[in-house]
């Protein structure tokens, strides 16, 4: 196949959320908050929380198994596993290797991508580049996070917004007008302390002091993150569209990272889209970090909101700070 016309196409997609649901009413009984506050400030009504006996790789395996089944691709044909996560089973090795072992993907290479809430965009862009270059034929891209494990249940600013989940796509090579048309990735490390987990890494290894001071939990400057998010998502959307040679008016469906309904509304307004052109499921899942865009994309294709030939715009934003966008034409 001529690499100039070779594109990565989404040949299969799947997602998974844990069974256990934590509602705003449950949170009202745990901390000083209210359903009214959470819904009006974030749009979230409930989120799914991973059971204690399961971990990130378990959710990743469920989503990836569904994606392979959807594509009709046997495990033996997968060449590469890319797992976007900031809540891997261990600090090392890559949780992608654990997924590889659990799924019997014996012919694949595997590594993690830690780009937080932009992780799905980063992993999908990386996978697309590998497919387009001709290096790999079947690339399994997964976004999975058990972020509830890093959330301080005493921090009402943080614990109401996050939930757990996983999503996966199988990328294959295609040579029609379908597939990934453009990718855009950007970051600004000056914003790294707006949203981070201070302890547990090489800078502050685990100690009695870090545990006593709750430094293994997410710390977030909500207002600053909010301010940057709408601007960055809009910029990512315009850059990805420009590089695909398309206009906002060409977009059939935008699938944004689900962090806060007000961030999504602000970005959508700046872009001149209307909310009925946008996939929103934050009310049921909250912010599922690297899973969120894939989860919303999978729901959209399952409920018939995407048809073959549609232009779909994926947009993400997250810790780092990082942001990015992908434009694709749906179908194989
Ligand atoms: N329940 C009730 N009150 C809460 C609360 C909660 N869960 N969390 C915060 N508050 C209070 C604050 O303490 C503050 O009270 P005060 O005025 O008495 O000090 C008040 O609500 C307003 O706080 P503020 O931080 O201005 O609220 P906000 O409108 O900015 O909403 C967030 C807070 C976290 C929902 C919002 O900033 C946000 O979503 N930011 C982006 C976070 C994000 O998306 N992170 C992930 C990026 S990928």
């Amino acid at each position: 196949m001529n690499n100039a016309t070779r594109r990565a196409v989404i040949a299969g997609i799947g997602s998974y959320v844990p069974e256990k649901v934590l509602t705003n009413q449950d949170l009202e009984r745990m901390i000083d908050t209210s359903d009214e506050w959470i819904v009006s400030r974030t749009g979230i009504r409930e989120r799914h929380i991973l059971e204690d006996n399961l971990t990130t790789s378990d959710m990743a395996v469920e989503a990836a198994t569904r994606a392979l089944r959807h594509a009709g691709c046997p495990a033996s044909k997968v060449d590469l596993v890319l797992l976007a996560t900031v809540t891997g089973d261990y600090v090392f090795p890559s949780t992608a290797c654990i997924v590889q072992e659990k799924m019997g993907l014996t012919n694949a290479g595997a590594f993690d991508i830690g780009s937080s809430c932009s992780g799905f965009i980063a992993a999908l862009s990386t996978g697309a580049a590998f497919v387009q270059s001709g290096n790999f034929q079947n690339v399994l891209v997964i976004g999975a996070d058990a972020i509830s494990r890093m959330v301080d249940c005493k921090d009402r600013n943080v614990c109401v917004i996050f939930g757990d989940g996983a999503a996966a796509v199988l990328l294959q090579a295609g040579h029609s007008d379908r597939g990934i048309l453009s990718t855009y990735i950007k970051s600004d490390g000056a914003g790294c302390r707006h949203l981070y987990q201070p302890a547990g890494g090489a800078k502050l290894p685990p100690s009695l002091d870090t545990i006593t001071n709750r430094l293994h939990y997410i710390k977030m400057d909500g207002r600053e993150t909010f301010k940057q998010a709408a601007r960055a998502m809009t910029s990512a959307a315009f850059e990805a569209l420009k590089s695909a040679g398309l206009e906002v008016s060409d977009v059939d469906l935008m699938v944004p990272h689900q962090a806060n309904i007000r961030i999504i509304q602000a970005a959508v307004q700046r872009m001149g889209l209307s909310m009925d052109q946008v996939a929103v499921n934050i009310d049921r899942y909250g912010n599922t970090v690297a899973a969120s865009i894939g989860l919303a994309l999978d729901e959209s294709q399952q409920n018939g909101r995407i048809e073959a030939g549609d232009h779909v715009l994926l947009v993400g934003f997250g810790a780092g700070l990082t942001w990015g966008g992908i434009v694709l034409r749906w179908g194989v």
Side-chain angles (χ1 to χ4, degrees):
M1 196 187 298
N2 177 357
N3 283 359
T5 57
R6 184 183 165 109
R7 263 198 198 112
V9 298
I10 293 181
I13 181 164
S15 59
Y16 171 82
V17 289
E19 277 175 29
K20 188 172 147 192
V21 174
L22 182 71
T23 65
N24 290 352
Q25 287 71 25
D26 295 329
L27 284 165
E28 282 177 347
R29 290 187 282 275
M30 295 161 59
I31 51 164
D32 179 16
T33 192
S34 67
D35 175 55
E36 192 280 328
W37 191 96
I38 301 170
V39 173
S40 63
R41 299 293 178 112
T42 71
I44 302 166
R45 294 181 186 277
E46 58 187 37
R47 66 292 286 145
H48 292 245
I49 304 294
L50 190 61
E51 294 79 5
D52 289 345
N53 61 332
L54 297 175
T55 185
T56 299
S57 61
D58 295 313
M59 292 194 293
V61 165
E62 282 297 331
T65 302
R66 291 171 193 189
L68 287 191
R69 199 182 304 134
H70 188 219
C73 177
S76 59
K77 287 214 164 150
V78 174
D79 306 305
L80 181 67
V81 183
L82 298 176
L83 174 59
T85 188
V86 288
T87 55
D89 291 6
Y90 307 105
V91 172
F92 76 90
S94 281
T95 302
C97 298
I98 296 160
V99 170
Q100 177 198 17
E101 199 273 328
K102 284 184 176 175
M103 292 181 69
L105 309 172
T106 46
N107 295 316
F111 62 91
D112 287 356
I113 292 181
S115 201
S116 66
C117 296
S118 305
F120 201 77
I121 298 286
L124 198 51
S125 303
T126 308
F130 274 126
V131 169
Q132 199 172 349
S133 68
N135 278 352
F136 294 110
Q137 306 300 319
N138 292 288
V139 177
L140 189 53
V141 175
I142 312 167
D145 271 300
I147 197 70
S148 65
R149 302 270 157 94
M150 312 299 171
V151 161
D152 187 346
C153 60
K154 292 186 175 166
D155 184 349
R156 66 178 182 168
N157 198 34
V158 169
C159 71
V160 301
I161 65 178
F162 289 106
D164 301 331
V169 297
L170 182 75
L171 291 179
Q172 287 181 338
H175 49 280
S176 70
D177 62 351
R178 309 278 164 85
I180 293 180
L181 306 183
S182 72
T183 63
Y184 173 79
I185 291 176
K186 197 77 197 291
S187 59
D188 176 9
C192 88
R193 281 186 191 75
H194 296 326
L195 180 54
Y196 76 129
Q197 184 186 340
K203 187 172 167 80
L204 267 184
S207 69
L208 197 52
D209 184 55
T210 61
I211 290 167
T212 308
N213 290 306
R214 306 179 85 76
L215 296 175
H216 299 268
Y217 292 124
I218 295 169
K219 306 293 173 202
M220 182 180 77
D221 179 342
R223 282 184 204 181
E224 190 57 36
T225 311
F226 190 102
K227 218 164 59 188
Q228 306 270 356
R231 180 195 52 74
M233 299 246 288
T234 313
S235 151
F238 281 127
E239 292 293 341
L241 283 169
K242 190 167 82 185
S243 137
L246 296 173
E247 307 284 339
V248 170
S249 55
D250 295 313
V251 174
D252 295 296
L253 186 72
M254 173 167 151
V255 183
H257 170 51
Q258 313 278 314
N260 182 315
I261 190 67
R262 291 187 296 136
I263 293 175
I264 296 173
Q265 286 164 341
V268 164
Q269 192 182 23
R270 285 179 194 208
M271 288 179 64
L273 281 171
S274 72
M275 283 303 283
D276 57 12
Q277 294 171 281
V278 183
V280 175
N281 61 11
I282 190 171
D283 52 323
R284 285 167 291 128
Y285 304 119
N287 180 346
T288 55
V289 190
S292 106
I293 294 171
L295 203 52
L297 184 65
D298 189 28
E299 278 199 356
S300 300
Q301 69 87 27
Q302 279 192 42
N303 62 27
R305 281 194 80 184
I306 313 177
E307 292 180 359
D310 278 356
H311 285 125
V312 182
L313 169 66
L314 314 180
V315 189
F317 168 85
L321 300 171
T322 55
W323 59 98
I326 290 177
V327 177
L328 58 95
R329 196 176 287 120
W330 192 253
V332 289

